[in-house]
Amino acid sequence: NFSGTGSADQSNSLQGQISVTVAESYPNGTMLVRGQKLTSLNRGDEHTQFSGLIRAIDVSADNTIPSTKVADARIRISEPLPV
């Protein structure tokens, strides 16, 4: 017999901007965008890769788009590969 209780909680937050380029354009007006950047922080370097689908209509006048308008967004943060 076992009787007990438990709980778990997890929270993550990511803020920042990354420049992307259009990798593919599709007939329905969506575009696949990709970008990456290397950031040097106190605890080491981070390599950030981003890709997702956007609509041209969602790109603002200052050429930005909020992440809430990116479909199938993929964000990968890792240590950079040695040179």
Side-chain angles (χ1 to χ4, degrees), residues 49-82:
Q49 296 174 300
F50 177 87
S51 67
L53 293 172
I54 65 167
R55 301 181 311 169
I57 195 169
D58 293 328
V59 179
S60 69
D62 65 351
N63 209 29
T64 61
I65 187 167
S67 61
T68 55
K69 297 287 186 177
V70 179
D72 298 330
R74 294 175 188 254
I75 303 169
R76 181 177 181 192
I77 301 173
S78 61
E79 293 181 17
L81 298 173

Side-chain angles (χ1 to χ4, degrees), residues 3-18:
S3 177
T5 62
S7 66
D9 191 16
Q10 182 177 349
S11 177
N12 292 308
S13 178
L14 176 64
Q15 278 190 337
Q17 293 183 341
I18 189 167

Side-chain angles (χ1 to χ4, degrees), residues 22 24-33 52-56 58 71:
V22 176
E24 289 187 53
S25 292
Y26 301 108
N28 66 357
T30 61
M31 295 172 280
L32 172 64
V33 293
L53 293 172
I54 65 167
R55 301 181 311 169
D58 293 328

